[in-house]
Amino acid sequence: MKIGIDLMGGDLAPLEAVKGVRQYLAQSPEAHLLLLGDEAQVAPLLAEHDLPAGAYTFVHTPQVIDMHEHPTKALREKQRSSIAVGFHLLATDKIDAFISAGNTGAMLVGSLYSLKPLEGILRPTISTIIPKENGGTGLLLDVGLNSDCKPEQLNQFARMGSIYAETILGIENPRAALLNIGEEESKGNLLAQAAYPLLKSNPALNFTGNVEGRDILLNRADVMVCDGFTGNIILKLCESLFGITQQKGIDHDYFQRFNFENYGGTPVLGISKPVIIGHGISREHAFHNMILLAQKMIYTGVMQQMSI
């Protein structure tokens, strides 16, 4: 398998990306890595960190899409950038997965237009890991790709999330739930009221009903679905918990699990090949985990299982 990595994406690039690659290559790597970046900046780092030459292929990309550039315009005008070249390699089967902690918008646009959605999928989605208070793990989606959603999309998100939770997270027969403002079937806005009967009648789901905000961190469901506007707010709130505990000097195993670096990045679900979007402040541990996640997604063929 071949995994492409944008070394130039992120606030701490390319140093932390190179260190993450080194960490991966030091542990019996199963994938050949294609490293994309500006040779003038990257070559000295590759030499300094003594990366074994045979374990990777370097691809010179002289342009960089900055974090605040307009995604579509930047991809169109900077075709020699690390992100644009990465998606070209992915679309032409030169690599099996692509990773970047760079411009999130450009990564999403590239995912939608360079790769086609899987057959039957209305809209791709992105998810996030939710650490449960009992030590388990949950999945929340959508968390920002689709701010406004239709009921049919939430139904598909629940199915894709359930496949991901079972295949990648190892949760047997995951419980799917609709995030709502009450447990009763009639609760919620128009979206929630229309989505509920679709989820309830979907034979591919182990649907357990509604969950409320107070249930998100509890062991009430394994896969929770909502529109991307709501999900992104919850994601950012969860991220803040780790930051607050660090500032206050609170050392607790549970709150350590809110460190995004433990999970690497966010996969785009519903497209033909794995694309993993990292946090802009990703360090080496996050890059290492993104590579491991891409490797597992390729190995299990989880994306192809989501076709309808």
Side-chain angles (χ1 to χ4, degrees):
M1 65 181 79
K2 295 181 179 179
I3 299 175
I5 304 171
D6 171 18
L7 298 181
M8 308 307 294
D11 298 339
L12 306 174
L15 175 59
E16 293 298 323
V18 170
K19 290 164 64 176
V21 168
R22 178 191 61 183
Q23 192 176 120
Y24 170 77
L25 294 178
Q27 299 179 358
S28 302
E30 298 180 29
H32 185 83
L33 305 182
L34 271 73
L35 309 182
L36 290 72
D38 179 13
E39 187 172 14
Q41 297 184 55
V42 172
L45 294 174
L46 297 178
E48 177 186 345
H49 292 87
D50 196 26
L51 269 64
Y56 69 89
T57 299
F58 180 73
V59 180
H60 175 53
T61 54
Q63 295 177 309
V64 177
I65 296 178
D66 294 328
M67 298 298 273
H68 302 293
E69 289 191 70
H70 187 278
T72 306
K73 182 180 178 182
L75 281 171
R76 184 174 62 249
E77 296 180 353
K78 292 186 172 182
Q79 296 188 16
R80 299 182 68 195
S81 65
S82 49
I83 290 180
V85 172
F87 276 112
H88 173 72
L89 293 172
L90 193 62
T92 55
D93 298 325
K94 301 295 191 305
I95 55 177
D96 303 301
F98 181 48
I99 295 167
S100 176
N103 186 304
T104 300
M107 289 295 290
L108 294 174
V109 170
S111 299
L112 295 175
Y113 293 103
S114 296
L115 302 173
K116 294 181 179 179
L118 293 168
E119 184 176 354
I121 299 299
L122 298 171
R123 288 281 295 179
T125 181
I126 54 176
S127 62
T128 190
I129 298 293
I130 298 294
K132 298 291 188 176
E133 54 82 28
N134 70 337
T137 298
L139 195 71
L140 177 71
L141 67 168
D142 185 282
V143 292
L145 182 53
N146 305 282
S147 295
D148 297 298
C149 292
K150 297 179 179 179
E152 296 81 6
Q153 293 169 345
L154 292 190
N155 190 29
Q156 289 192 351
F157 294 169
R159 178 181 170 275
M160 289 191 286
S162 295
I163 292 170
Y164 185 86
E166 186 158 17
T167 306
I168 301 300
L169 303 181
I171 302 173
E172 186 176 353
N173 194 25
R175 299 161 296 169
L178 176 65
L179 189 60
N180 210 330
I181 59 172
E183 294 184 0
E184 299 84 0
E185 185 171 344
S186 60
K187 286 283 189 177
N189 56 15
L190 294 176
L191 173 62
Q193 291 177 25
Y196 192 102
L198 295 179
L199 295 163
K200 185 178 180 180
S201 62
N202 189 338
L205 297 178
N206 178 16
F207 182 61
T208 57
N210 290 327
V211 290
E212 301 177 69
R214 63 188 174 191
D215 302 318
I216 293 173
L217 303 180
L218 304 179
N219 189 30
R220 292 289 309 278
D222 304 302
V223 177
M224 297 163 283
V225 293
C226 61
D227 62 86
F229 182 88
T230 303
N232 191 265
I233 291 173
I234 295 171
L235 166 63
K236 300 296 174 57
L237 174 62
C238 289
E239 285 183 350
S240 73
L241 291 177
F242 177 71
I244 291 172
T245 56
Q246 294 295 292
Q247 293 173 13
K248 301 292 185 182
I250 300 172
D251 185 15
H252 193 282
D253 290 344
Y254 176 63
F255 291 112
Q256 289 294 325
R257 296 178 63 215
F258 283 89
N259 182 357
F260 72 90
E261 297 216 357
N262 294 331
Y263 313 105
T266 298
V268 182
L269 304 182
I271 56 177
S272 57
K273 294 182 180 181
V275 172
I276 299 174
I277 303 172
H279 203 296
I281 55 172
S282 293
R283 296 185 181 274
E284 64 176 293
H285 188 52
F287 279 101
H288 179 211
N289 284 329
M290 280 190 274
I291 300 171
L292 292 177
L293 176 58
Q295 181 177 285
K296 189 171 185 179
M297 291 179 72
I298 296 168
Y299 179 74
T300 58
V302 64
M303 305 301 273
Q304 286 67 37
Q305 297 179 43
M306 296 180 187
S307 295
I308 294 176

